[in-house]
Amino acid sequence: MTEIKYSTFKKPKSKSNKIIEFVFKNPSVYFSLLLFVTVLILFLSPHAIILGVTDEPGVNIEDSRVFSDFDVYLPIEDQKLVKKDSPSILAQAAPKNVHSSAQCSGFSDNDRFDCLPQGSVSEEECNSKGCCWGPVNSSDKAYRGVPYCYYPSNFKTYKYLNVSVTDLGATAYLGILINSTYPNNVQLVKIDFNYLTENILQVKIYDAERARFESPFPKMSSLSKTSAKNTSYVVDIDKDRLGFNVLRKSDNQSIFNTQDVGGFLFTDQLLQISARLPSSQLYGLGQQRNDFQLDTSWKRITLFNRDQAPIDNSNLYGSHPFYLALENNGQSSGVLLHNSNAMDIILQPAPAITYRPIGGVLDFYFFLGPSPSDVVRQYTSLVGRPFLPPYWSLGFHLCRFGYNSLNKTKEV
């Protein structure tokens, strides 16, 4: 079975842990203890703010303090417990993210991840987001595209609540730490790590409490109902670092590293995730008019089907959020984001990538190759392969586009 590296994650069970397990397995004991703790807190600290996230109308959470080191937070409204449907893992709400100057220093220009990609921004807007401000000389071609407003180091919007092993691999829950300024932040995020084959890994990130639209096309092949054995990859999860890292076992090469990279967002109409890549030699992410090898100098690629003649820096007929990376040692890997919503994809020189779809889920598939032909073979085994066209269809084709009259067509 594929290993997951739980860096600083698993702890030996102590007597206190055993007591906690006993309490949670006995509902009557749990609710009695819960009521006792609630009354005690209200009695000792009548003005304390108990942090929580709730969908109930009229609840205004404006402050945040470190309440405890436990992963489960108790939301309270008007001194009454707020009921929440299962799963009952709740996260704290926090105000604007505050960072120190040290968290903004030590970044090279290529390692900046854009905090405000909307265009022209001010230092005041940047600071209100809890991000770092650092203008550069944008008239110099070498600095074009470098964001002025960028995420500080260790910018955490969510935290790991737990990780458990499943028949297909593993499952993790993320609880929100701070609400972004975008509306309708998802409070509880679930991640499924599915080990489909020895060389194909699926990482699906979605709302744990509400169903969201997922593209039915292409219909993914059902590869396995159990976890693959002897995989060529390993997933690194660290409870103190937001995200995950996919590595190739043979050379310990990181293929897709999202741990404390950029700002992870999951709202109703904007999702965002960034990752460091093993190479700047990238191919794919169509449909667009571009060089065969993609430009990673702060290149923004928009995927949103549009019927127009091919022009530079514009979305075209199709959307294929798949890329192939060729590493310096000749090995290759590929990544597919199965999401049909309109999205921007940003490539930067780090090398790194940022996805910003406006809906759906983050359904990633990783192809470990190791050769480019292996990556393509693994990719097409999942999305399907083209059929052989009939012999008669291989003849001369003439498109009527551009011919305004029959006489003009006859002249040709």
Side-chain angles (χ1 to χ4, degrees):
M1 180 175 178
T2 302
E3 46 188 299
I4 278 200
K5 294 166 64 179
Y6 299 96
S7 305
T8 71
F9 211 98
K10 288 190 173 180
K11 299 178 181 178
K13 290 186 179 180
S14 62
K15 290 183 178 179
S16 60
N17 287 338
K18 292 179 180 179
I19 294 173
I20 292 173
E21 285 187 4
F22 171 76
V23 170
F24 277 90
K25 288 180 180 179
N26 293 271
S28 59
V29 177
Y30 169 74
F31 285 109
S32 298
L33 183 61
L34 186 64
L35 183 60
F36 172 75
V37 171
T38 303
V39 173
L40 184 63
I41 291 173
L42 292 174
F43 177 76
L44 295 178
S45 304
H47 302 292
I49 297 177
I50 308 300
L51 304 176
V53 176
T54 174
D55 295 325
E56 298 292 327
V59 179
N60 184 22
I61 301 174
E62 297 179 343
D63 198 1
S64 176
R65 304 170 193 171
V66 178
F67 178 61
S68 75
D69 292 327
F70 291 102
D71 292 332
V72 180
Y73 290 80
L74 308 178
I76 293 181
E77 176 190 4
D78 296 332
Q79 301 182 4
K80 294 181 181 179
L81 287 176
V82 176
K83 293 182 179 180
K84 189 81 173 179
D85 294 334
S86 180
S88 59
I89 306 171
L90 303 178
Q92 67 185 76
K96 299 171 184 177
N97 204 1
V98 179
H99 59 79
S100 64
S101 58
Q103 290 178 281
C104 294
S105 61
F107 282 90
S108 69
D109 293 332
N110 292 343
D111 287 327
R112 293 184 176 188
F113 288 87
D114 201 345
C115 181
L116 278 172
Q118 295 91 319
S120 179
V121 296
S122 66
E123 182 176 2
E124 182 181 2
E125 290 176 304
C126 183
N127 291 333
S128 70
K129 284 257 190 178
C131 293
C132 305
W133 179 256
V136 296
N137 182 12
S138 57
S139 61
D140 187 335
K141 187 176 180 180
Y143 293 99
R144 288 178 188 172
V146 177
Y148 286 17
C149 183
Y150 56 97
Y151 288 104
S153 59
N154 299 319
F155 187 90
K156 290 182 173 61
T157 51
Y158 288 81
K159 65 171 290 187
Y160 275 107
L161 300 175
N162 62 52
V163 178
S164 58
V165 175
T166 68
D167 290 340
L168 278 173
T171 291
Y173 283 93
L174 299 178
I176 197 167
L177 290 176
I178 59 171
N179 284 310
S180 73
T181 55
Y182 299 99
N184 301 320
N185 290 256
V186 172
Q187 306 299 312
L188 187 64
V189 173
K190 187 177 180 181
I191 308 179
D192 290 335
F193 300 92
N194 298 327
Y195 315 136
L196 300 183
T197 73
E198 293 181 0
N199 298 300
I200 302 178
L201 166 70
Q202 179 190 22
V203 178
K204 185 177 179 180
I205 308 171
Y206 56 101
D207 189 335
E209 299 178 297
R210 297 172 185 82
R212 296 172 61 87
F213 173 77
E214 298 183 34
S215 174
F217 303 104
K219 187 176 181 180
M220 298 298 183
S221 301
S222 180
L223 299 177
S224 176
K225 294 184 179 180
T226 59
S227 173
K229 313 296 182 184
N230 302 318
T231 60
S232 59
Y233 50 83
V234 61
V235 180
D236 181 20
I237 297 175
D238 186 335
K239 79 174 182 67
D240 296 322
R241 304 182 68 190
L242 176 60
F244 59 92
N245 188 9
V246 180
L247 304 101
R248 184 187 293 113
K249 278 185 181 179
S250 61
D251 55 3
N252 206 37
Q253 172 65 59
S254 175
I255 300 301
F256 195 86
N257 185 4
T258 72
Q259 291 179 325
D260 289 344
V261 175
F264 173 68
L265 303 177
F266 205 120
T267 70
D268 187 36
Q269 292 184 311
L270 177 67
L271 287 68
Q272 177 178 275
I273 190 170
S274 301
R276 296 188 181 277
L277 304 180
S279 170
S280 59
Q281 299 181 68
L282 304 177
Y283 307 86
L285 299 178
Q287 192 175 25
Q288 58 180 307
R289 189 166 86 174
N290 201 346
D291 294 333
F292 182 52
Q293 180 177 324
L294 295 176
D295 179 9
T296 57
S297 299
W298 305 104
K299 177 71 174 180
R300 183 178 68 180
I301 298 171
T302 298
L303 298 186
F304 185 60
N305 294 11
R306 183 181 182 185
D307 183 10
Q308 71 166 7
I311 57 175
D312 291 337
N313 301 316
S314 179
N315 45 306
L316 299 177
Y317 300 103
S319 298
H320 304 277
F322 165 80
Y323 71 81
L324 183 149
L326 185 62
E327 300 160 27
N328 293 332
N329 61 5
Q331 298 203 79
S332 185
S333 58
V335 177
L336 165 69
L337 172 58
H338 188 210
N339 184 310
S340 62
N341 289 268
M343 71 178 76
D344 278 343
I345 300 175
I346 291 79
L347 302 176
Q348 65 188 75
I353 189 169
T354 297
Y355 295 89
R356 294 195 189 105
I358 61 171
V361 302
L362 297 172
D363 190 8
F364 286 102
Y365 292 85
F366 300 93
F367 309 97
L368 273 291
S371 70
S373 58
D374 289 331
V375 171
V376 173
R377 189 178 300 109
Q378 292 153 14
Y379 171 60
T380 56
S381 72
L382 197 68
V383 301
R385 296 188 171 102
F387 62 87
L388 185 66
Y391 179 76
W392 58 264
S393 70
L394 301 177
F396 174 72
H397 280 204
L398 178 66
C399 176
R400 65 181 180 85
F401 182 81
Y403 299 110
N404 299 321
S405 67
L406 178 60
N407 290 333
K408 184 66 176 177
T409 306
K410 287 180 178 179
E411 288 179 13
V412 176

